[in-house]
Every structure is written in structure tokens, then in C-alpha cells.
Amino acid sequence: MNYLRKKQLPTFVRLTLIAITLASGCNREPGSGESTPATGAPSSTTPWFTDVTRESKLNFSHVRNTNVKFWLPEITGGGGGWIDFDNDGDSDLYLVQSGELNPAKPNPHANQLWENLGNGTFQDVTDQAGVGDHGYGMGLAVGDYNGDGWEDLYVTNVGPNVLYRNNADGTFTDVTAEAKVDVSAWSSSAMFVDYDDDGDLDLFVANYIRWSPASEVACFNGRKEPDYCAPAGYNAPTVDRLFRNDANGSFTDVTESAGLSAAFGNGLGVAAADFNLDGRLDFYVANDGNPNQLWIQNENHQFTDQALLSGCAVNRSGAAEAGMGVAPVDLDHDGDCDLFMTHLMDESNTLYMNQNGVFDDASAASGLAAPSLQFTGFGMGFHDFNHDGRLDLFVANGRVTHALNPLSDDDTFAEPNQLFSSQADGTFQEVMPRGGLGHELIETSRAAAFADYDLDGDVDIMVVNSGGTVRLLRNDAGAQGDWIRFRILNASGHDAVGARVCLTTNKRTCFRIVQRAYSYLASNEPEVDFGLEQGETVTDVTVIWPNLTEQSFGSKTTGQRHRLVQAVQP
Amino acid sequence: MKSKSQRKKPSTDLRPVRTRLRPAWLISLLAIAGCLGGAYYISVRPSINSAEKTLPELPVNLPQLDREVAALINAKMDQVRQDVSAESLVDLGLVYEVNGLWNEAFDVFQFAGRLDSQNPDIQLHLAIAAHEVGEFTVERQLLQQLAADHPDLVAAQQRYGVLLLEEGKLPAAEHAFQAVIQHGPQMPEGYAGLADVRIRQGDYQVAVNLLEKAIEMDPKYQGAHFLLGSAYQRLGMMDKALPHLKLGAGAKTRFVKDSLRIRADQYDVSTKARLARGIQFMVDRQAAQAATEFQKVLKAEPDNVTALSNLAGVFVQQNRLAEARQLLNKSLEIDSTKHATYVNLANLAALEGNLQQALEWADRGVELGSNAELPYRVRANILAQMGRLQPAYDDALHALELIPNDPQALEQCGDLAYRLRKLGDSRTYYNRALRIDSRRPIAWIGLTQVNMTAGQFAEAKQTLANAQQLAPQHPAIKILSDRLDRVRSN
């Protein structure tokens, strides 16, 4: 089977296929029948997740500002993600703090690293590890940039970013200056990715706004009360940065030479994948209030923004929306990369289905548009949470301006998060109570990061709340079905971001895309996970590496994690 | 993270959450409410919390509101106190609506709806306010009911169609947009909405046809341009797609204005609204009204460059050149990066006969406003006056690219093509302008010139008659008529 390129199909056939494949979750073998929920799968009223924050001993509260001034960074931050810093096979947590915004004052608040002790609890090891950055934090990127087998950490700030090199002994060293990745802008999401396919991890940093306290502007809501401004109010879009890894411990800023300075934006979310299936990784940047960018990589590692012509710059009416988080996902299992992104209240979240390099806005048809209109979405991720063979969706919500009728007595920005279950008819249906918990949590959520922290095979969620406590949501729904997980490593031993994994079972064929930095200000576990029906067997796993070479790994045992490593080219 | 200045809350039921009344207002409003008697409990469809008993309070921080807005609100509240009727409440609601005070608008329209439950316009504005305050369930129910009961209420049909599109309900959306086309065939929004349905159904060629019609009706309809680009894109016609996608990028969903909204516009006393009204008056050659709007803006904001520049433009139209110059100089002092200022300076210099200076100003205008069509058109005029017809024509064509199907831009291209003896092109541009608006005397006059030069005198006679009918006093008509008579007598 050749997975490299999709065949051009007539429009009506393609539209039909979208409906069918969305419905089944995977491309099913003829006669294999419709997917049936796994025995004992949770009903719509059974909680999918349990809030285990307290039991886990995680104790982190995000601080927006020590003295709220309606400065834009206050309502933007709240990042965090998963990193296996001690290489023990389970995912630890790094939580990004904000705190004091006034540069004239010291920031008493610092980022925190929590070690997963393997028994369901976490322990604060920030001081020992030396990663308690006191910058006004936003997000992070995780990757082994120096190829020593240990995950390093890049922290984005309003102000200087920080690169922490893992010393392989539980400690880190700030190597920002020597690595030449010192961005002193307002950075948001970031990712390590081998965009030039030379075997080492490069670094992409999305920047939000050219901002300083002096550039703050006063904004008022309809009642002339002080409130947070829209980014347009600052009229200061900026350029994202791309750093090429020079394989000697340092990077070169290639933003200009790669063509990425040709377009400005208010970047918040970033994704990397081969969107046009030409064997080169591209970047997609979700901008807040101005057109998104689809940086298609050409020969010689040059990039051209093709978002407008590809149909993913603005919404289907032509309006630039408030892009927050973004996730690449192959939702119709046709081997290419679709896109989902979260937006402001009154702008629906958007699902773009990739049809031979042109994106169709399928938000309304998927059922994901209408339920999102009343909330402001940030972090998100598609996973088969309940192991029924179909990808579900979790969205973290929280407002960015004051509500006169708040949903929470404690926090005027708070909203419930949302969990959507993929349905057999091709649509998504929201799971109630909202967020998949036994009771709704009404908080101002920002980052949502996904990992199987308890190693039970299903995907759990960590949510960072702006101005509130972090939440750890343990998945209880996945236990009803079977699963299989893969760590996909390239020949250099790095997670092969952008690689596509094609799983063939006795019933169907499914695709996943290796990703780590999707969602918003987050880093996620890099494993790809598949939920399986009881009795479903895996007959083949094929990886299509970012350079389009294919490698079959044959049949694999379910209920296990597998490491698939790219064969070294002769 | 674009800010949304209005209250938003998710819909959980039909009960709107109310703001707490302060005691002083509470007493007076309860007194008013008490006067309403039985009318107070008239139910509306859909039933919205019949227990609501109070008029809305004034917005908090009233002194911080724009003075004119606050004065308007006070005046309308006084009217309500004197005459608690649906009419007076609607007036108050419209003031709230156009000034973005959506909570108050929602409450007032709800109240008005109880007093006049059969009035679809009130229900429509209640639906609009419901959307803005996040009462999406209320909005949906109201629009659904309105669409069912009042198929000819095109503003409601179109809004309902847009909502149904968002929900992915294509047959129902198609039905709504067909109703818009049937009852408002002159409104491009119906064709654009139906085209959106067709695109979602994969029927791209039909969508192209509908969108070309919509753009012919309104060449500046950004949303239609974007949809047209999308349709071409899906047909694989990327060369045709890109210009329309660029023109349409940044579009906002456009809604048909109903009669109340048109009335409401006069209550919008914000700077933005005044500037928009002033510019429209300028386009319509109503200089005095335009000047009034700009002067009111300048009274509140003496350094508003847009108002300064546009008022200067009005003065140029009125040949008050010295006053215009004074305003433009002030505008330059405040902000030297506005292309409109240079465009007006160019016009001013051209009127004074200083074409070289005019060209320099126009060049600067083009440099700063390369995405706007006006600087190119002004420079084309100046170049034409200097006898440099080919570069003038190039500029006019560039302006037309930026604003396709604009009748004035088409007429300018027609004129310059004629002067360059490109008779076929000239005829095409004039005919395109007339297809968009057949009541354009300039286009008929231009077409007459083309016909006469081409020796097509019978056609010239007909096109001249059309021009005469529309603008009998136009000086060119007499000249052309005399020429035509001479030719015929020879």
C-alpha cells in the first residue's frame, strides 16, 4: 500500500468519504461492520475523568500578576506540559508561572518541575533541578536538542526566553546564551522539530505582540469599565523565530533567510506537519486576530506563506479569527494532516479538513462549531479517550474579558471545559456534565497537556488555569477498551514529529501524526495512542517518515507500548 | 484573544440574568412598572421569564459614557417615563443597541416585546441583542419563529440563514436564503448566503454565478469576494481565486439592515459612525451634511486626522481651498502617514493648477496607501491632466483591480481607454459600469463618444438619449448632441 499521496477523487466522492470516515473513526474493511462501543463503555452521564489533583499532591497555582493592571499578558498566560526529565519512562510535569509583570520589581513567583513518583503522586523538584525561572512565563517546548538522550526544556516568556539543558543527573543548566536562542520578545508557543531533516532538533518560537508596559493601552468594555484589550489595539504584530540547530550545542537564527519574516502576526499556537505531502515539514501558526500562516517549506528550506490560497488563513467567510491553540490531526484517516484550532467566544472553533492541500472548513458539519460559540477556547487535543476506536476532543476554555454575569463567584473569566465524543454519524457530541467530569469545573483554563502519566494505557489531561490551580484529570474511560501505543523515533533517536503512523487491524486502518507541541502553551507526551475494540488485533504498523520513506514494522501486541525506530539509510 | 466588550454568558435556559438595580432607580422604575398594569404580563413567543417586572436601569458609570450618548440615553429614558409604550422603549433600545450597550438593549427589547408581542421588528432586535449577550438559545428560538411567521422579513431570514449555516443545516439555510432572494431580490446578501450553501454542497460553479451577481450588486461586498475566491479555489482556478481571496480577507459577516436598524443609525453618535456617515455623504455629493458630521467629530476630537482630512476634502469639493489647505496642514502636523491627506493635497494642488506638485502629493499618497484604490485614481486624473495618458491608464487599471466592478473606476478606465483610442476596451468598461448601474449618465455619455468615434451613429443616438434622460443639463450632452446633428446633416 502506498500511503505517500492521496489519489485525487471527484468532489462528491471526497465529501462522501469525509462523512464516512469521520463517522467510523478509521477506514474500515468492507464488511467489518459499524463500530460498536466497547462493553461497559461509559454512558453520556458517566464521568470519563476524575480530578485527582489533590491525591496527586500537585500543588501549583498560577498567578496572573501581583497587582492586576489589565495588561494583556495577565490574561494570556498559563502554560505547562509533560517532560520525562529523569528518563524513567513516566511523564513529569513542568508548570510555567507568570507572576510579577512590572520589570522594575523582582518576580517572587517561579516555574515549577514536578517529578512523577510512579505511584500516582508528584513531588516538587524545582530547586534541585534548577529550573525555577522567574521570568513572566508563557509556555514551553521539550526536546533533546543536543542528542544526548535526555529531554531539554525551552521556556517562553514575556521577556527573555530560557533554554535549560538537561545534565542527565536530575539537574539542568541555563544555556540560553551559548545556544544563541535568546529571544527577548513576548513568545507564546514553541516547539522542537527537525524541519530540515538533518537529524537534530531545530526550534520554532511563536511570538505574540511587540509589547512592554510602556506600550500598554487603556481599553474599556461597553460600560466604559477597564478591561483587557484586543491585540489589534496594540497594532504591534510581530515575526516568529526559527532557529536551526548547528549540531554543536548552538543554533543559528534563520528566520530572515528562511523567509519567515515575510509575514507578521499575533502568534499563539504553532504546529508542524507535512501539510502538502511533499516530503518536507511545514509550519502552521494560529494568529490572534489576524490571518493565520501556513508556511510551506520549499526547496533549500525556504518557506512561503500559502495560508490564503490553501483556505486556512481566515474563516470561511473571510474573517480573521482569534486563533489560540492549534492541533494537527488526521481526522478522516486519509493520510494527510487536518487542522483544528480554538477561538474566541462568538467565533466557532474551526476544523479544517485537508483535501489535497486545500482546507475545507468542516466545523459546522462536524458539530464542533455551534457548541463552541459561547466559550473562548485555548488548549485542546484529539485522543481516543474512551478506547472505542474514535478520536474524541477535549477543549480548555476561559474568557479574556470581564463578564458582567460571571459563571463563577471567584473568577469572572471562568468557563467550563468541554469534552466531545466522536459519534458514529460523523459528528461530535458534547459529553455532559461538561468537561467529562462528575461535576463541571468552572475555571479560566489555558494550556491542556496530554499524557498517560499513570501508564495505564489511556490518555490523561493536565489543565493549567490562569490565576488558579492546576488540574490533573485521570482518565477512567479508557479502561473499558483495549489500546496500543507507539514511541516513534527517527534514526537519530528523536521523536519523529510529523511522521505518520498507519495502523492496520483486522477491522480497519487508522492514521496518527506524531506531535508533541499541539494545544496551547503546552508540551505533550510524544507517544501516539490508538484505542481498540475488544478482540481487535494489530496486523501491521507502518510509519511514513517526514521524508516520505515508508517502513513497516509488522504486527504488534495490543495493550503494550512499542518503540519504533527508523532504519538507518544505507 | 480579541476582546469582546459585551456581556457574554452561556445559555443554560431562557432566563436572562439581570443586573442588580440600585435603590434610587429601583423606586422610580417600579413606579413606572406599576403603571403598566395588565399589559405587563402579555406573553411573547418564545416565553421569556414572565416574572421580569422592571425596566432596565441606566448603564453604570454613565458619566464615563460619551457625553452625547449619555444625553441621548437620558432623553430617551425621559420619553419612556412620560409614555411607557413599545414605541418609546424601542427608541431607547435602539440607542443602547447602536452604542454597544447590549445588556440594556436586551432588557429593553424584552420589555417592549411584552407590550407589543405582534411586532416582528422588536422580536428581531431582541434576537440580535440576545446574540450579543450570549443568549444563543433565545436568539435561535426567536429567529426560527420569525422566519416561520414572517417569510418576507428578509433581515430575520438572512440572520437565520447565517445561524443555520453555522449549525451545518444546509437545506434549512438554503430555504432561508431563498426567502431573502424572493423578498429582497436587490439584496446581495441573499445570493451570497445561497452561494455559501452551494460551496458547502460542492456545487462550486453555481456558487460562482451567484457570487458574481452579488458582487455586481455591491462591488465592495468583501464576504462575497472571499466566497468567490473560495469557489474558484475549489474549481482549481487559482489565478482567478487569489485576487478575490485577497479582496475578501478580513471580511466580517454582513447582515441585512431592517427598518429599525436604519432608524437606529441616526442614534449612533460615535466617532466611527459619524466618520462613516460623513464619508457616505461625500460619496453622495451631499457636502453640507458631510461637513456637519466631520465638524462634530472635530468638536469632540480636534486632532482626529481622518475628520480633518475628510473635511478638507469636502472643502475642496466646495472650492473653499484656503480652508482646506489649513486643515490639511494641521493633519500633516499631527500624522504625516495618512494617505488620505496626501490625496486631498493632490486634489487641492490640481485645482490650483499646480500639476507637478499635485503629482508629488499623489505619489506620496500611493506610497502610503498602496492597498487603497483612491490614491491611484487621483494620480490617474492628474497624469491625464498632464497628458500622460498611458501611465494614467495604468493607474486606473490598478485601481480597478483593487475595487473590481466599481462603476466610477470603470468609467475612469473607459474614459482613458477612449482617449488612448482603445475603443473596444473603452466600450467594455462603460458597458460593465452600466450593467452594474444603468442610471449612470457619465457611462452613457462615454459610450456615446465611443459610438460616434466608431461611426456607429444609430447606437450613438440611442445612448445619447439615455444620457439625456438621466442628466439633461450635463454640458457634454449639448456638445455631443450638436456633433451628432452635424454628422447626420452631412
Side-chain angles (χ1 to χ4, degrees), chain A residues 527-550:
Chain A
E527 284 186 350
V528 296
D529 54 285
F530 293 86
L532 302 169
E533 295 173 27
Q534 297 290 0
E536 194 169 2
T537 57
V538 175
T539 55
D540 181 64
V541 185
T542 294
V543 177
I544 304 128
W545 302 100
N547 63 6
L548 299 184
T549 58
E550 289 184 34

Side-chain angles (χ1 to χ4, degrees), chain A residues 67-95:
Chain A
N67 182 15
V68 170
K69 296 183 173 73
F70 295 102
W71 289 356
L72 190 56
E74 292 169 0
I75 202 62
T76 314
W82 300 97
I83 172 174
D84 183 9
F85 82 97
D86 51 4
N87 240 345
D88 65 352
D90 59 29
S91 290
D92 312 295
L93 262 179
Y94 189 77
L95 299 166

Side-chain angles (χ1 to χ4, degrees), chain A residues 222-224 228-230 288 309 316 318-319 324 344-348 359-360 364 374 399 401 404-405, chain B residues 1-5 7-8 10-11 17 60 64 101 103-104 131 165-166 196 200 226 233-234 250-251:
Chain A
R223 288 175 167 246
K224 304 292 177 187
Y228 291 103
C229 297
D288 182 5
L309 257 185
R316 66 176 307 131
M324 314 290 197
L344 190 71
M345 172 190 293
D346 210 13
E347 300 172 346
S348 67
F359 290 86
D360 274 331
Q374 54 191 319
R399 299 174 190 184
T401 52
L404 298 181
N405 294 306
Chain B
M1 282 205 345
K2 281 191 294 188
S3 293
K4 194 79 182 173
S5 61
R7 169 183 72 177
K8 296 283 183 182
S11 296
V17 176
V60 294
Q64 288 186 41
L101 296 159
N103 294 324
E104 291 75 14
H131 178 90
L165 275 179
E166 194 72 62
D196 200 346
R200 291 172 198 237
F226 191 82
Q233 178 190 44
R234 281 156 179 77

Side-chain angles (χ1 to χ4, degrees), chain A residues 299-555:
Chain A
E299 290 178 9
N300 304 321
H301 311 307
Q302 300 288 306
F303 291 85
T304 311
D305 180 12
Q306 299 279 349
L308 191 60
L309 257 185
S310 301
C312 55
V314 290
N315 74 6
R316 66 176 307 131
S317 303
E321 296 186 306
M324 314 290 197
V326 61
V329 58
D330 184 359
L331 208 52
D332 51 359
H333 300 278
D334 62 352
D336 62 20
C337 184
D338 312 309
L339 279 166
F340 180 78
M341 69 200 66
T342 48
H343 290 130
L344 190 71
M345 172 190 293
D346 210 13
E347 300 172 346
S348 67
N349 295 336
T350 303
L351 173 63
Y352 288 115
M353 300 303 294
N354 188 339
Q355 304 298 335
N356 298 299
V358 175
F359 290 86
D360 274 331
D361 183 343
S363 315
S366 69
L368 290 171
S372 66
L373 281 169
Q374 54 191 319
F375 300 116
T376 296
F378 279 90
M380 96 309 258
F382 284 93
H383 291 277
D384 182 0
F385 294 113
N386 62 348
H387 290 169
D388 67 349
R390 295 195 290 258
L391 285 170
D392 311 301
L393 170 67
F394 181 86
V395 181
N397 293 316
R399 299 174 190 184
V400 293
T401 52
H402 273 298
L404 298 181
N405 294 306
L407 302 175
S408 159
D409 292 337
D410 304 324
D411 186 352
T412 181
F413 304 99
E415 291 179 336
N417 298 326
Q418 291 173 289
L419 174 67
F420 296 91
S421 168
S422 180
Q423 301 297 294
D425 65 357
T427 62
F428 285 84
Q429 186 175 319
E430 189 172 3
V431 176
M432 296 293 176
R434 283 213 156 96
L437 290 160
H439 65 286
E440 287 184 2
L441 286 173
I442 314 286
E443 295 173 315
T444 307
S445 298
R446 294 293 181 257
F450 302 84
D452 176 16
Y453 84 95
D454 52 3
L455 301 177
D456 64 352
D458 55 31
V459 178
D460 312 293
I461 308 173
M462 183 277 297
V463 178
V464 181
N465 291 307
S466 168
T469 57
V470 69
R471 296 284 178 187
L472 181 61
L473 310 180
R474 188 190 65 213
N475 185 340
D476 294 333
Q480 310 301 324
D482 202 355
W483 56 274
I484 190 166
R485 299 171 68 91
F486 301 98
R487 185 88 184 253
I488 310 295
L489 302 171
N490 64 19
S492 304
H494 298 300
D495 292 300
V497 171
R500 288 168 284 151
V501 182
C502 178
L503 182 87
T504 305
T505 75
N506 55 334
K507 294 185 176 178
R508 58 198 171 127
T509 301
C510 297
F511 279 91
R512 296 282 191 273
I513 302 165
V514 179
Q515 290 291 322
R516 181 151 206 174
Y518 58 91
S519 189
Y520 173 78
L521 306 180
S523 178
N524 305 277
E525 190 178 60
E527 284 186 350
V528 296
D529 54 285
F530 293 86
L532 302 169
E533 295 173 27
Q534 297 290 0
E536 194 169 2
T537 57
V538 175
T539 55
D540 181 64
V541 185
T542 294
V543 177
I544 304 128
W545 302 100
N547 63 6
L548 299 184
T549 58
E550 289 184 34
Q551 189 176 351
S552 170
F553 291 88
S555 61

Side-chain angles (χ1 to χ4, degrees), chain A residues 168-344:
Chain A
D169 60 359
T171 69
F172 289 77
T173 301
D174 179 347
V175 294
T176 315
E178 69 181 76
K180 299 176 185 170
V181 288
D182 42 347
V183 177
S184 290
W186 174 353
S187 301
S188 51
S189 294
M191 69 187 313
F192 284 105
V193 59
D194 183 12
Y195 83 93
D196 52 3
D197 197 29
D198 65 352
D200 53 31
L201 291 179
D202 312 293
L203 176 65
F204 189 99
V205 182
N207 288 326
Y208 187 43
I209 282 177
R210 285 179 283 111
W211 182 91
S212 71
S215 68
E216 257 301 332
V217 288
C219 287
F220 300 92
N221 59 28
R223 288 175 167 246
K224 304 292 177 187
E225 298 159 338
D227 212 333
Y228 291 103
C229 297
Y234 300 84
N235 192 24
T238 185
V239 172
D240 305 315
R241 315 301 298 185
L242 178 61
F243 295 95
R244 187 191 64 218
N245 193 330
D246 293 332
N248 59 2
S250 71
F251 293 76
T252 298
D253 185 344
V254 295
T255 309
E256 191 83 28
S257 59
L260 291 167
S261 58
F264 291 69
N266 301 124
L268 283 180
V270 61
D274 181 4
F275 293 101
N276 58 349
L277 300 183
D278 65 350
R280 292 184 283 261
L281 286 179
D282 314 301
F283 291 107
Y284 183 82
V285 180
N287 287 314
D288 182 5
N290 35 37
N292 304 314
Q293 291 140 358
L294 177 60
W295 293 108
I296 295 292
Q297 188 176 173
N298 310 312
E299 290 178 9
N300 304 321
H301 311 307
Q302 300 288 306
F303 291 85
T304 311
D305 180 12
Q306 299 279 349
L308 191 60
L309 257 185
S310 301
C312 55
V314 290
N315 74 6
R316 66 176 307 131
S317 303
E321 296 186 306
M324 314 290 197
V326 61
V329 58
D330 184 359
L331 208 52
D332 51 359
H333 300 278
D334 62 352
D336 62 20
C337 184
D338 312 309
L339 279 166
F340 180 78
M341 69 200 66
T342 48
H343 290 130
L344 190 71

